[in-house]
Amino acid sequence: MFAVRVYPEGTHFIIPWFERPTIYDVRARPHLVESTSGSRDLQMVKISLWVLTRHVPDQLSTVYRTLGTNYNERVLPSIIHETLKVVVAQFNASQLITQRERILL
């Protein structure tokens, strides 16, 4: 099995039929997550949240080996939904509306 190497930006030579590049975009990318969760007063609240994510270039080989190329679709939704539910459960529905800018994830 071939070793997974991470190359920096630039021009690199590969051996056809033996090496195949996997290109990752390491810029910050927004993801829209919509979730329905319960507030402290047991009212169901539908929340849309924009999350900015980016890959750490030094960790790309580990991410590729363990999670594959669709990391954002496999890992992020579960982490974001669980965090969102924990934070929303701390507030009443009216507090979520009136103290919107004070709620931190």
Side-chain angles (χ1 to χ4, degrees), residues 14 21 26 33 43 52 65 88 103:
I14 62 170
V26 294
V33 178
Q43 292 186 18
L52 286 175
R65 271 190 250 125
V88 169
I103 299 171

Side-chain angles (χ1 to χ4, degrees), residues 6-73:
V6 177
Y7 294 104
E9 297 176 6
T11 304
H12 303 282
F13 297 103
I14 62 170
I15 302 170
W17 299 288
F18 294 110
E19 294 181 329
R20 185 177 61 221
T22 303
I23 300 172
Y24 281 92
D25 185 8
V26 294
R27 295 179 291 177
R29 296 173 45 201
H31 297 278
L32 176 64
V33 178
E34 294 182 356
S35 178
T36 303
S37 60
S39 63
R40 186 174 10 158
D41 55 355
L42 302 178
Q43 292 186 18
M44 295 307 290
V45 179
K46 182 177 179 182
I47 294 182
S48 297
L49 177 69
W50 282 98
V51 179
L52 286 175
T53 61
R54 69 177 185 88
H55 293 287
V56 179
D58 297 337
Q59 299 295 320
L60 280 178
S61 62
T62 306
V63 169
Y64 178 72
R65 271 190 250 125
T66 57
L67 301 171
T69 57
N70 59 350
Y71 167 78
N72 291 338
E73 291 83 23

